[in-house]
């Protein structure tokens, strides 16, 4: 509950947690940042394939400060263990194969872990191929994709720790749609663009686990990432080319205290370096370097049924633009530095009857992104000319959360309410002419409305919950719901791109050898959107022949209707030849409903995919 996604096509998706996304949610791979540019724009993809992941963790609360300061939304950590932490006794692995109807696509992926003398070896790979997505209104062009992801790691792993390294290569080519059924979003290329990206990562880590004493482990982890991305326009022309080199590292000491107040905790230091470059015929992203150093601490205390967790972190960041030429819209291009404390405390209380009450309070800050500070150019994904603001302050947010959990035979339930106040919330607002009051257009083509990074106080409130009941042995009823509302408190106006109310209900039958289930997902209408910019003859409807005559608002200003989606699943598990085989059949949008996702950038012209039948085979050995 509380997790949705922002979409700009099937591949260019990113998580939204409780209404916060982009750079406000950390997406990690084995605890370190991926080194891509996914948070800089909605047409950029996250460079991780989940089919070979061991698990995916969602972290909120004090423990999130172990990973970064900008964690008011939360942390999503894709766990792979590219560098094996332990030597397996025998060769193990998994392989998965998935096909789906809506894209006529297929995915294959797997991993193998094996002992080689005193060493542990892990190798994995995956490949995806998908054609254009089918919608209830026809095929949506520029939604096809090809992707491969491969990695290999080795370590010396013993009873007291491990030392090892790994390399990973990720390559993806995918489309970003802007046209459908003869309609094109104004300011966009007919059909769309293709993004061709590659990420190469080298990683090294070491851990020492002493036998006894207060120190449970001392670990050091670091990586170096080379990232390149081309945005290819019609005719094979490269409109924008991103290049980024980055490196980061962590040293963490974990301890256990038995005298006085029993506690477990960790202290650590973190460092990061980024060098971002962008070239092209008319790109708005300016090159810059970023350096961050941080120190942090986290501790958990137990007082009988009461458990208290707390964390603190200090980050210092310096951003240096490499192109300082001033423009009329961006007159001041200067170095910026930021430093601030973040902190969080949470407590849980175990009550009789398998009931747990909890509360948390967190204060965190986010350094403005390079693009928010220094950009000055068109942004095809937003259909706007976006200008940074070198005078931006860091965002400072304070969030509070109350929750209750019930875990007893036949019933599992949790519910929470939350409230987040963000000072200096960064958003893009249209620039108006001081003399005429009309919106300013881009200086080159006079085609795009100019939007500049601005700041205002904001408030997000919401609630979410999940209930799992077992009314009859073997049958489970599972219901979830989440809701969030964002407001600019200085003018009492809605924040853009807030996910609508979502609820899901499923009834399933589980046995060791097979399972079957069905249900529905309700996505509410979203009418609470910002008012259209003053002085613009605005519409949310794209009509044939009017793309250049009418100003079509960006998606954030346009409401959407609600929908009910039907789904079903079934599967079998069998042990053959000493290996576990699992077959899973899933039907999404079984009613082939035509609907628009509120967080999709191209929702004014294109609906979401229609009925999709997926078949997954997985074998473990």
């Amino acid at each position: 509950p509380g997790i949705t996604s922002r979409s700009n096509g099937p591949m260019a998706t990113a998580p939204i947690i409780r209404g916060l996304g982009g750079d406000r949610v950390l997406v990690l791979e084995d605890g370190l940042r991926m080194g891509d540019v996914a948070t800089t724009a909605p047409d950029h993809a996250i460079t991780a394939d989940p089919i070979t992941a061991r698990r995916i963790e969602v972290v909120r609360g004090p423990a999130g400060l172990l990973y970064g300061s900008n964690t008011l939304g939360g942390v999503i950590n894709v766990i792979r263990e590219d560098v094996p932490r332990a030597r397996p006794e025998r060769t193990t692995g998994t392989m998965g194969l998935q096909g789906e109807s809506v894209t006529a696509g297929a995915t294959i992926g797997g991993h193998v872990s094996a002992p080689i003398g005193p060493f542990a070896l892990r190798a994995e790979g995956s490949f995806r191929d998908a054609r254009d997505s089918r919608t209830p209104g026809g095929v949506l062009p520029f939604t096809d994709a090809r992707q491969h992801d491969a990695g290999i790691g080795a370590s010396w792993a013993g009873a007291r720790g491990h030392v090892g390294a790994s390399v990973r290569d990720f390559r993806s080519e995918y489309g970003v749609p802007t046209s459908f059924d003869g309609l094109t979003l104004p300011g966009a290329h007919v059909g769309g663009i293709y993004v061709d990206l590659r990420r190469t990562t080298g990683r090294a880590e070491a851990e020492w686990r002493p036998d006894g004493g207060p120190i449970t482990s001392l670990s050091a982890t670091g990586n170096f990432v080379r990232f390149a991305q081309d945005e290819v326009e019609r005719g094979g022309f490269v409109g924008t080319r991103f290049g980024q080199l980055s490196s980061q590292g962590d040293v963490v000491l974990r301890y256990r205290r038995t005298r006085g107040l029993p506690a477990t905790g960790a202290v650590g230091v973190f460092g990061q370096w980024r060098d971002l470059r962008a070239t092209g015929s008319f790109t708005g992203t300016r090159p810059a370097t970023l350096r961050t150093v941080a120190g942090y601490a986290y501790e958990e205390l137990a007082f009988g049924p009461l458990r208290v967790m707390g964390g603190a972190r200090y980050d210092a960041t310096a951003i240096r633009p490499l192109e300082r030429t001033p423009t009329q819209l961006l007159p001041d291009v200067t170095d910026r530095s930021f430093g601030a404390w973040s902190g969080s405390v949470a407590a849980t209380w175990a009550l009789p009857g398998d009931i747990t009450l909890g509360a948390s309070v967190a204060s965190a800050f986010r350094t403005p992104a390079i693009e928010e500070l220094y950009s000055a150019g068109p942004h095809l994904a937003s259909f706007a000319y976006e200008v940074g603001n070198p005078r931006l302050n860091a965002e400072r947010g304070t969030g509070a959360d109350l929750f209750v959990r019930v875990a007893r035979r036949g019933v599992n339930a949790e519910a929470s309410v939350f409230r987040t106040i963000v000072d200096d919330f960064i958003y893009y607002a249209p620039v108006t002419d001081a003399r005429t009051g009309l919106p300013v257009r881009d200086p080159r083509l006079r085609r795009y409305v100019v939007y500049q990074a601005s700041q205002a106080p904001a408030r997000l409130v919401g609630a979410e919950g999940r209930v799992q009941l077992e009314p009859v042995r073997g049958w489970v009823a599972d219901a979830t719901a989440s809701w969030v509302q964002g407001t600019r408190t200085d003018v009492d106006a809605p924040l853009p791109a807030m996910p609508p109310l979502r609820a899901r209900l499923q009834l399933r039958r589980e046995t060791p050898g097979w399972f079957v289930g069905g249900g529905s997902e309700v996505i509410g209408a979203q009418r609470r959107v910002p008012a259209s910019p003053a002085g613009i003859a605005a519409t949310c409807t794209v009509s044939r022949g009017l793309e250049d005559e009418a100003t079509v608002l960006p998606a954030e200003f346009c409401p959407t209707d609600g929908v009910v989606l039907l789904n079903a699943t079934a599967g079998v598990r069998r042990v053959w030849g000493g290996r576990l085989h699992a077959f899973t059949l899933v039907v999404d949008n079984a009613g082939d409903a035509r609907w628009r996702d509120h967080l999709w950038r191209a929702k004014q012209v294109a609906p979401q995919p229609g009925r999709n039948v997926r078949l997954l085979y997985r074998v473990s050995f």
Side-chain angles (χ1 to χ4, degrees):
I3 299 180
T4 54
S5 63
R6 175 205 71 198
S7 175
N8 204 20
M11 292 297 293
T13 60
I16 303 291
I17 300 180
R18 293 180 169 180
L20 296 174
D23 202 29
R24 301 176 181 96
V25 174
L26 281 177
V27 182
L28 311 173
E29 193 168 47
D30 282 338
L32 294 179
R33 292 157 175 79
M34 294 184 185
D36 56 26
V37 294
T39 62
T40 63
D43 57 333
H44 298 168
I46 294 175
T47 54
D49 195 323
I51 195 170
T52 54
R54 295 189 57 172
R55 66 183 185 276
I56 299 177
E57 296 178 339
V58 179
V59 182
R60 290 197 290 245
L65 295 177
L66 295 174
Y67 303 106
S69 62
N70 51 329
T71 57
L72 264 184
V75 177
I76 294 180
N77 192 12
V78 181
I79 306 295
R80 301 186 184 278
E81 289 191 12
D82 270 350
V83 178
R85 298 174 60 85
R87 179 183 176 276
E89 295 182 358
R90 61 182 182 86
T91 299
T92 62
T94 62
M95 187 188 74
L97 177 64
Q98 177 178 297
E100 64 175 11
S101 64
V102 78
T103 63
T107 303
I108 185 171
H111 86 274
V112 175
S113 297
I116 302 178
F119 298 97
L121 177 70
R122 186 180 190 275
E124 69 163 63
S126 64
F127 176 78
R128 290 180 181 268
D129 185 80
R131 299 179 184 177
D132 288 331
S133 297
R134 184 194 66 81
T135 78
V139 174
L140 178 59
F142 284 79
T143 52
D144 55 328
R146 284 148 299 281
Q147 175 181 301
H148 81 252
D149 186 16
I152 185 169
S155 68
W156 176 91
R160 299 289 173 260
H162 71 280
V163 177
S166 67
V167 294
R168 175 169 293 278
D169 184 71
F170 182 98
R171 180 74 181 264
S172 180
E173 181 184 1
Y174 62 90
V176 179
T178 57
S179 296
F180 179 71
D181 194 26
L183 300 178
T184 300
L185 283 169
H189 292 285
V190 175
I193 64 171
Y194 278 105
V195 174
D196 187 356
L197 64 83
R198 184 166 189 173
R199 174 175 69 100
T200 304
T201 304
R203 179 187 181 98
E205 64 178 64
E207 183 181 40
W208 169 59
R209 298 186 295 271
D211 185 13
I215 297 177
T216 57
S217 70
L218 176 63
S219 62
T221 307
N223 70 5
F224 181 83
V225 183
R226 182 183 184 275
F227 178 85
Q229 174 173 305
D230 291 342
E231 298 183 356
V232 184
E233 303 175 9
R234 296 190 65 172
F237 176 72
V238 178
T240 304
R241 173 169 290 159
F242 291 94
Q244 179 172 275
L245 300 177
S246 63
S247 181
Q248 58 191 296
D250 248 329
V251 177
V252 185
L253 185 147
R254 299 179 185 273
Y255 61 87
R256 176 182 57 246
R257 190 172 63 239
T258 57
R259 295 182 179 179
L261 293 176
T264 59
V267 295
V269 293
F270 168 82
Q272 179 189 19
W273 165 78
R274 289 176 57 201
D275 186 333
L276 174 66
R277 308 295 175 102
T279 59
S281 60
F282 196 40
T283 178
T285 300
R286 292 197 177 206
T289 61
L290 178 148
R291 289 177 172 84
T292 299
V293 293
Y296 54 86
Y298 169 77
E299 188 161 283
E300 295 186 18
L301 303 171
F303 307 90
L306 177 64
R307 188 162 158 253
V308 179
M309 297 144 281
R313 182 183 181 103
Y314 186 85
D315 287 75
T317 298
I319 303 176
R320 178 174 176 264
L322 302 178
E323 168 57 59
R324 298 171 181 266
T325 304
T327 68
Q328 182 179 357
L329 295 171
L330 194 72
D332 301 320
V333 182
T334 60
D335 295 358
R336 293 299 308 276
S337 60
F338 305 87
W341 285 94
S342 301
S344 181
V345 62
T348 61
W349 183 275
L351 300 176
D354 301 315
I355 299 174
T356 302
L357 300 179
S360 69
V361 178
S363 177
F365 89 105
R366 181 180 78 90
T367 298
I370 292 173
E371 293 76 15
E372 293 169 337
L373 291 170
Y374 306 121
S375 288
H379 190 179
L380 294 180
S382 300
F383 319 115
Y385 190 100
E386 293 183 353
V387 179
N389 183 351
R391 295 178 295 276
L392 290 175
N393 298 319
E395 288 182 348
R396 166 63 70 177
T398 302
D401 190 325
L402 298 174
F403 63 88
V404 59
R405 295 176 183 152
V406 178
R408 60 178 64 164
R409 183 176 178 84
V411 179
N412 278 285
E414 60 177 302
S416 62
V417 294
F418 60 89
R419 177 186 175 94
T420 303
I421 303 297
V422 184
D423 298 325
D424 293 322
F425 187 88
I426 299 173
Y427 67 99
Y428 281 92
V431 178
T432 57
D433 188 288
R435 182 175 56 86
T436 65
L438 295 176
V440 175
R441 299 276 178 168
D442 71 272
R444 181 180 180 185
L445 301 176
R446 312 295 298 174
R447 179 181 182 184
Y448 302 93
V449 174
V450 175
Y451 287 79
Q452 185 164 37
S454 304
Q455 293 187 297
R459 179 184 66 242
L460 294 95
V461 296
E464 61 196 30
R466 182 174 189 176
V467 178
Q468 293 175 294
L469 304 175
E470 190 177 11
V472 180
R473 184 175 178 83
W475 287 90
V476 176
D478 189 351
T480 66
S482 59
W483 167 82
V484 63
Q485 184 181 90
T487 303
R488 269 188 60 189
T489 55
D490 59 333
V491 292
D492 194 27
L495 284 179
M498 288 290 106
L501 171 71
R502 300 179 76 102
R504 185 188 66 188
L505 176 63
Q506 185 181 57
L507 181 66
R508 63 179 184 267
R509 176 78 164 93
E510 287 273 0
T511 73
W514 59 272
F515 57 95
V516 63
S520 63
E521 182 176 11
V522 179
I523 302 173
Q526 181 58 284
R527 307 294 182 194
R528 195 174 184 272
V529 297
S532 60
I536 300 178
T539 178
C540 285
T541 303
V542 182
S543 302
R544 287 180 173 84
L546 295 180
E547 291 93 333
D548 296 328
E549 299 174 15
T551 298
V552 177
L553 290 170
E556 291 90 339
F557 295 95
C558 298
T560 48
D561 296 327
V563 69
V564 177
L565 304 176
L566 303 178
N567 56 72
T569 183
V572 295
R573 308 182 188 96
R574 293 290 184 269
V575 177
W576 295 324
R579 297 175 176 85
L580 177 62
H581 302 258
F583 298 85
T584 304
L585 178 67
V586 179
V587 183
D588 298 314
N589 191 7
D592 205 29
R594 183 169 180 149
W595 65 289
R596 314 277 173 147
D597 187 343
H598 185 71
L599 301 182
W600 194 17
R601 307 291 297 194
K603 67 184 182 184
Q604 292 114 301
V605 297
Q608 287 295 292
R611 181 187 301 110
N612 188 20
V613 180
R614 293 184 284 128
L615 179 63
L616 172 67
Y617 164 70
R618 191 175 183 90
V619 59
S620 302
F621 57 89

